[in-house]
Amino acid sequence: MSGIASVFKKLFGLVNAIRKIIVNIVFFIVLILVIGIFAAEEEPIVVPENGVLVLELNGFLVEEETWVDPVDQFFNEAFGGGGEPPEILLADLLIAIENAASDERISGIQLNLTNFMGGGFNKLKQVGLALQQFRETGKPVITYADSYGQNQYYLAAHADNLYMNPLGMMMFEGFGSYRLYFKELLEKLKVSTHVFKVGAYKSAVEPYTRNDMSDQAREANQVLYDELWQAYISDLANLRDIDARILSGDINDFNTVLAEQNNDFALLAKSSGLVDELYSREQFRQEMISLTGLDKDEKSWRQISHHQYLKSLNGEAFVENDKKRKNIAIVVARGVIVDGSQKAGMIGGDSTAELLRQARLDDDVKAVVLRIDSPGGSGFASEIIRQEVLELQKAGKPVIASMSSVAASGGYWIAASADEIWAAPSTITGSIGVFGMFFTFENSLAEIGVYNDGYHTTNLPVLDITKGLDDNAKRVVQLSIEKFYKDFVSMVAESRDMSYEEVHAVAQGRVWTGSQALEHGLVDQLGELNDAIRAAAQYADLTEYDVKLIEPELSPRDQFMREFFGQASILLPVKPTQKLGSPIEMQLQGVWKEVKLLDKFNDPNGVYALCELCPLQ
């Protein structure tokens, strides 16, 4: 025994020594960072004369940046961790373009689209419109890429000069949505799937109950994506003189055009009008140098990234008001709606309601714009947010709902009672329907010899993942889902001054574009955020006002960590921009996204208003 004790004592001593070494290493790293932060003097940002503003579109275009713990972010950057996909704040991009248009130091804009991952169609249109307005000043917009994807090309098409690598390619695949279906997998694992829904088109749960898409889901997909695709190719046709065969979507047309260029995709892009010239990277560099001259290091053309440019202007998405005028408050609701409090990038019923409450209690706020980019989620959390909208109205403060790329299901729920609803023509909205779903594992457990048994004082439904549901229990749950759907439709009917039958006819989980929703009476106007702000000012009878973004307040700990690790990150060596994932990696991310979605099902009543066709980022 003494020999064993001796071994464990030595082992513990080794572990303890390793622990001390690690603690000391971390301590000295932090100490070096602290010294470096206080010793470092950040050079002032200088906007070069005759410089090009480079829009570095690395990641997804979003209405609100997802909260990332600054400690996690720092160590991800320091040690090459994965982390969440990068994001580009839409408001920052628009402000940079707007300021550059009147800035005499800026001679043009370069779109860097190599690592652009896309965004909602209406967000792309807003950036495109800003680029068109910039071009009206006489300054050029230029873009270059090795290849272009559809989202990348939509923005690239707004350029005066559009270049591509001679080995690059551009091909339009159209719009669509594919999902993985898990019914057979769940059956093999002997998992029991319990689904309760109302709405013939409410197909969010189909991946767990079917092996393929239902006819209703296919119909909804077709109507939605056909309209969005027509809007996409119509915009391209108006922007550039493109061979109609390229945009027809017919594989025979495409093969014909490709054969005319000896199956060379780059030559096809040039001959069909998609790009202006085929340049190598060095040729493009020389082209930009001839436009601006060499930078101070005489290595490249004169340029400044839009991130640095905004810092030079002390620019932010929304500038703090000077308290001399009344305010229009903006509350952003982006992400899946879940119960409780959540960080930015997710909509918490409690946390988003708290932001609306802050606007209600702020005497300087006279109207609120609720900016929504959400596919929905928890029905209970959606109602908690809507109740705060009603409280704002009771306080005499009008609420205008402004729909971004997505405002469907629960996203529509929180908009429905607003004084006015604005949507972009391409907004995905509607999807008025509800469902409940959970899994039980009684058969899976039985397969390995584990069983559930016990006593309960009543025979009312007990939702236990280790037990199944009998018919009586299923009936109770289904009745609760049907009641929730009736409440949803009735609430919309009352808010929109429509009959129950009128709303039901366009509900049942059916998804619409903003243009279609306007025809069906589900929205009031078509427009973007600025249009909604002007409408809010009219409702509040304001001719002069400031715009105030209401954001969650950081805790003292989060504020300190953000400032500390934000400064520390300046000391890190510059790393290559995160590249787009491989097809296999992107498919695995899709599977993981489906799994993570199940984690967001935390409604206390188990009732969800979630749009299955809507993007989650």
Side-chain angles (χ1 to χ4, degrees), residues 490-543:
S490 298
M491 180 270 291
V492 173
E494 180 180 355
S495 300
R496 303 295 303 162
D497 195 23
M498 299 169 67
S499 69
Y500 183 95
E501 291 72 22
E502 287 174 324
V503 177
H504 177 64
V506 296
Q508 302 187 62
R510 185 69 180 266
V511 176
W512 307 103
T513 64
S515 298
Q516 294 166 341
L518 180 64
E519 295 174 3
H520 294 306
L522 296 177
V523 305
D524 298 295
Q525 303 285 346
L526 297 181
E528 291 294 349
L529 178 59
N530 287 336
D531 301 303
I533 292 172
R534 286 190 287 269
Q538 291 178 353
Y539 268 84
D541 196 25
L542 297 177
T543 54

Side-chain angles (χ1 to χ4, degrees), residues 233-425:
I233 61 176
S234 176
D235 285 355
L236 292 189
N238 290 331
L239 289 166
R240 298 186 66 85
D241 185 15
I242 300 173
D243 188 326
R245 293 175 295 177
I246 294 294
L247 301 178
S248 72
D250 188 293
I251 187 64
N252 293 321
D253 284 348
F254 182 80
N255 284 334
T256 298
V257 180
L258 185 59
E260 291 173 358
Q261 302 303 320
N262 294 319
N263 298 323
D264 188 318
F265 281 87
L267 289 178
L268 178 148
K270 185 175 186 300
S271 66
S272 61
L274 293 175
V275 303
D276 298 309
E277 295 292 343
L278 301 176
Y279 280 175
S280 68
R281 294 179 181 182
E282 180 60 24
Q283 285 176 312
F284 176 70
R285 195 176 78 88
Q286 293 300 327
E287 174 79 6
M288 296 301 292
I289 290 174
S290 67
L291 178 68
T292 69
L294 286 168
D295 62 11
K296 62 179 181 180
D297 297 325
E298 296 189 352
K299 292 181 178 180
S300 187
W301 64 90
R302 298 175 186 172
Q303 59 185 281
I304 183 171
S305 74
H306 77 272
H307 302 293
Q308 293 292 95
Y309 183 63
L310 284 173
K311 288 181 182 178
S312 76
L313 301 171
N314 292 318
E316 296 180 355
F318 298 93
V319 180
E320 288 291 331
N321 65 84
D322 57 9
K323 300 296 183 184
K324 294 181 180 179
R325 299 191 293 187
K326 301 302 181 182
N327 293 322
I328 303 294
I330 295 179
V331 174
V332 177
R334 179 217 165 200
V336 175
I337 303 173
V338 297
D339 192 35
S341 294
Q342 301 293 328
K343 297 287 191 180
M346 293 269 285
I347 303 173
D350 294 343
S351 48
T352 302
E354 173 60 28
L355 296 179
L356 293 170
R357 190 177 303 113
Q358 288 180 29
R360 171 162 57 90
L361 299 178
D362 188 338
D363 292 336
D364 290 325
V365 171
K366 299 303 177 184
V368 174
V369 174
L370 181 58
R371 181 65 168 174
I372 304 167
D373 198 10
S374 171
S378 165
F380 180 80
S382 300
E383 175 59 13
I384 293 298
I385 296 170
R386 190 186 75 91
Q387 289 171 7
E388 277 301 325
V389 170
L390 298 179
E391 292 299 321
L392 274 161
Q393 293 167 327
K394 288 179 185 177
K397 299 184 179 186
V399 179
I400 305 299
S402 173
M403 296 178 169
S404 182
S405 301
V406 180
S409 288
Y412 187 83
W413 184 295
I414 65 178
S417 295
D419 293 276
E420 204 165 82
I421 301 177
W422 286 72

Side-chain angles (χ1 to χ4, degrees), residues 12-172:
F12 175 78
L14 176 62
V15 171
N16 193 44
I18 294 173
R19 178 186 64 82
K20 290 179 179 179
I21 292 171
I22 293 174
V23 169
N24 286 331
I25 290 173
V26 172
F27 171 77
F28 282 111
I29 289 175
V30 173
L31 180 62
I32 292 170
L33 287 175
V34 171
I35 294 172
I37 288 170
F38 287 104
E41 293 185 7
E42 192 173 351
E43 294 184 7
I45 298 172
V46 177
V47 180
E49 293 293 335
N50 196 41
V52 169
L53 176 67
V54 180
L55 303 184
E56 295 183 339
L57 306 186
N58 299 320
F60 289 102
L61 197 57
V62 298
E63 293 281 351
E64 176 187 58
E65 291 180 303
T66 301
W67 164 261
V68 179
D69 188 286
V71 180
D72 293 341
Q73 183 174 358
F74 172 79
F75 282 105
N76 278 333
E77 292 177 359
F79 300 109
E84 293 295 322
E87 295 176 338
I88 314 142
L89 191 61
L90 174 64
D92 281 353
L93 209 56
L94 298 179
I95 286 176
I97 296 171
E98 181 182 356
N99 278 275
S102 57
D103 192 331
E104 295 181 355
R105 299 168 296 179
I106 300 297
S107 60
I109 283 178
Q110 181 214 343
L111 294 173
N112 186 348
L113 299 164
T114 300
N115 295 296
F116 182 52
M117 299 178 183
F121 190 33
N122 81 300
K123 298 186 188 75
L124 299 179
K125 290 178 73 73
Q126 289 183 75
V127 177
L129 178 60
L131 292 172
Q132 285 181 288
Q133 293 172 342
F134 177 88
R135 291 172 59 184
E136 291 173 2
T137 65
K139 301 178 182 181
V141 175
I142 302 167
T143 186
Y144 174 86
D146 294 334
S147 295
Y148 292 99
Q150 281 181 178
N151 285 323
Q152 296 167 332
Y153 188 79
Y154 183 84
L155 293 184
H158 291 79
D160 296 276
N161 301 311
L162 205 167
Y163 304 121
M164 188 174 74
N165 193 288
L167 292 179
M169 66 178 296
M170 171 65 221
M171 182 170 63
F172 296 102

